[in-house]
Amino acid sequence: RLTMTDADPDDVAEGWNNLGNALDELNIIDSAILCYETALGIYDDLSDDPGKATVFTNLGDTYKHNEDYAKALEYLKKAENIRLALDD
């Protein structure tokens, strides 16, 4: 029987990120943001900067879709800073 302790944390974070993407597409913004924040917490625990950059980009896109441009810019800049630091 599979338990959460058997799951690869990176896969779990990716799952939360993907769920956030689906909820964003369905315009269920608050739930999408919660999913992204959950993914971000896992990537942060893993010190996974590329993962964090991806989630920051998705958060920025979600805020942009919701016309909260200041918040969108904040998250997109975070993603850009990480990617520049990684030379990605």
Side-chain angles (χ1 to χ4, degrees):
R1 182 170 141 153
L2 184 65
T3 65
M4 284 301 292
T5 57
D6 296 328
D8 178 356
D10 190 60
D11 290 341
V12 174
E14 185 177 350
W16 281 109
N17 185 57
N18 290 338
L19 181 57
N21 289 338
L23 292 167
D24 181 36
E25 288 295 318
L26 293 169
N27 206 34
I28 306 173
I29 303 303
D30 290 338
S31 295
I33 291 169
L34 287 173
C35 289
Y36 291 138
E37 289 174 346
T38 300
L40 189 59
I42 296 168
Y43 283 133
D44 196 42
D45 289 345
L46 297 171
S47 299
D48 184 335
D49 289 336
K52 289 192 291 188
T54 297
V55 175
F56 284 140
T57 298
N58 290 338
L59 278 163
D61 288 344
T62 297
Y63 281 110
K64 181 179 69 176
H65 297 153
N66 204 36
E67 298 182 358
D68 187 342
Y69 300 114
K71 214 44 157 169
L73 188 59
E74 173 188 335
Y75 283 105
L76 293 171
K77 282 186 177 185
K78 286 181 180 188
E80 178 185 35
N81 289 338
I82 290 171
R83 294 211 187 277
L84 288 172
L86 295 171
D87 196 27
D88 206 1

